[in-house]
Amino acid sequence: MDIMNIFINLILLLSVLYYSSGQDSTTTKTARMDSSRADTLMQSQPPGEPQNAPPPEITDIPFKTGETLIFKLRYGFIRAGTATMKVMGETTIRGNPVYHIRTTAESAAGFSWIYKVDDVIDSYMDKYRLFSWKFDKRLREGSYKIDLLTDYNPLDTLARVDYTKYDRRMRIDEKSKYNVAAPPYAFDVLAAFFYTRTQNLETGKSISIVNHDHKKVYNLLVKVHGLDTLETDAGTFRCLVVEPLLRGEGIFQQKGRLVIWLTDDKLKIPVQMQSKIAVGSITAELEEFSGIRQAIPAMLARNE
């Protein structure tokens, strides 16, 4: 895994858990969940609810159009890039109202000569329940260049994926379309993060989210460890410390951990994401923010 690719996936929060090689084959047209994983996903449904029942409507959304979070990406003390997470606005997909979320990542000028990165990821989440309707990932990382476009229909059990891989000159090197068996109302990796921000997070407890990306569907537990106070360029914040735990294979299960600091209030703004892996510590730290729905309750005055 290249360092900059890990940085980008820190902002995506979850996809690095299984997308570690960046070079896996797409010759298989249809991916299927094994029976144990399917059982786990079914168990995550509320007792007594039909398996295709929509999740409850979220009445208090903690973000709004225009929310912009800018992170500095560093490896140890070296600044390697910048990432931005923005709520672009509201639109519709097949007549359904959705939020459009965009995350971008680019390498710093002094780092681009080693490994140039210019990535754009778009998630289209249901306006009222935040499950996924569409997910577009366009990665430009050194010689690795792909488009991964996914369409969801919450009423069936398929995610429809269109994969294109390019060579150094942006000529199509590989192209395929395939379906992935996914339960209704699944979340892409970015939608899962915004959904987590709406949940009641309590120390010592976990929440469970059904995630999909590329060829994989998995049940993700987000464990809440406790409280911390964190000082960043954007300010000083009281934070909840959480950790996503993948049930199954994953780079962080095998080689390290991903820990996330969220503001300890109903906004749950990401302040820092950090991974300790074999090659050191990789951090995404909040540097600037704007367009927040309200004053941040967990933000402390400089002298506190």
Side-chain angles (χ1 to χ4, degrees):
M1 166 70 77
D2 293 297
I3 290 172
M4 280 306 302
N5 197 35
I6 297 175
F7 277 137
I8 290 146
N9 285 305
L10 275 173
I11 297 303
L12 287 176
L13 298 176
L14 309 172
S15 62
V16 74
L17 291 170
Y18 57 85
Y19 194 48
S20 57
S21 70
Q23 306 290 336
D24 60 334
S25 170
T26 58
T27 54
T28 302
K29 302 302 180 183
T30 303
R32 298 290 178 184
M33 293 182 295
D34 60 36
S35 58
S36 61
R37 181 173 295 160
D39 289 344
T40 300
L41 297 178
M42 291 176 66
Q43 290 167 10
S44 69
Q45 295 279 351
E49 290 287 344
Q51 294 304 313
N52 62 349
E57 183 172 326
I58 299 168
T59 57
D60 190 15
I61 299 291
F63 52 86
K64 68 172 187 175
T65 295
E67 179 185 278
T68 304
L69 309 175
I70 300 175
F71 300 84
K72 63 179 177 183
L73 307 175
R74 55 184 172 84
Y75 174 54
F77 295 104
I78 301 172
R79 179 160 188 153
T82 300
T84 300
M85 184 182 294
K86 184 173 182 178
V87 183
M88 303 295 292
E90 297 180 27
T91 185
T92 60
I93 292 181
R94 298 190 293 278
N96 298 283
V98 298
Y99 284 111
H100 174 196
I101 311 295
R102 172 169 289 173
T103 297
T104 62
E106 60 181 355
S107 47
F111 209 94
S112 291
W113 68 275
I114 301 174
Y115 195 78
K116 183 176 176 60
V117 172
D118 184 12
D119 289 358
V120 181
I121 298 97
D122 290 288
S123 175
Y124 298 84
M125 313 177 305
D126 188 83
K127 180 179 178 181
Y128 303 109
R129 294 175 170 86
L130 302 190
F131 58 79
S132 298
W133 283 94
K134 185 178 180 181
F135 182 68
D136 292 351
K137 179 159 59 177
R138 297 172 294 284
L139 305 185
R140 307 291 183 263
E141 305 170 9
S143 61
Y144 180 61
K145 306 174 191 299
I146 69 155
D147 292 340
L148 188 67
L149 314 178
T150 307
D151 280 312
Y152 298 90
N153 184 342
L155 298 180
D156 66 20
T157 56
L158 292 177
R160 295 162 177 84
V161 183
D162 189 341
Y163 173 91
T164 306
K165 180 181 177 183
Y166 304 93
D167 64 16
R168 291 177 179 270
R169 298 182 180 180
M170 287 302 294
R171 297 175 300 195
I172 294 177
D173 183 49
E174 184 179 346
K175 188 173 180 63
S176 63
K177 293 184 179 182
Y178 54 93
N179 296 331
V180 178
Y185 311 106
F187 294 84
D188 65 63
V189 293
L190 200 50
F193 169 68
F194 277 82
Y195 175 77
T196 299
R197 290 179 59 184
T198 71
Q199 299 302 292
N200 181 26
L201 303 178
E202 298 181 30
T203 298
K205 295 186 178 181
S206 302
I207 64 170
S208 180
I209 307 172
V210 178
N211 273 213
H212 164 262
D213 189 34
H214 207 11
K215 292 183 178 180
K216 303 215 177 204
V217 176
Y218 54 89
N219 211 33
L220 185 88
L221 293 179
V222 179
K223 185 175 182 180
V224 184
H225 288 299
L227 301 175
D228 194 10
T229 298
L230 198 65
E231 184 175 356
T232 72
D233 289 345
T236 302
F237 304 89
R238 294 191 309 271
C239 296
L240 284 167
V241 183
V242 304
E243 181 180 3
L245 301 170
L246 182 65
R247 292 182 178 179
E249 294 182 346
I251 186 172
F252 284 110
Q253 277 201 328
Q254 297 167 358
K255 300 181 181 179
R257 299 173 62 199
L258 173 62
V259 180
I260 304 163
W261 284 255
L262 302 173
T263 56
D264 182 24
D265 52 37
K266 67 180 181 180
L267 300 177
K268 297 182 180 65
I269 295 168
V271 174
Q272 180 171 279
M273 292 158 276
Q274 186 175 79
S275 172
K276 294 184 182 297
I277 59 174
V279 294
S281 178
I282 299 171
T283 304
E285 179 186 309
L286 186 64
E287 190 170 37
E288 299 177 36
F289 61 85
S290 61
I292 304 301
R293 194 184 77 170
Q294 63 180 68
I296 303 173
M299 187 174 183
L300 305 176
R302 291 293 183 179
N303 59 353
E304 288 189 51

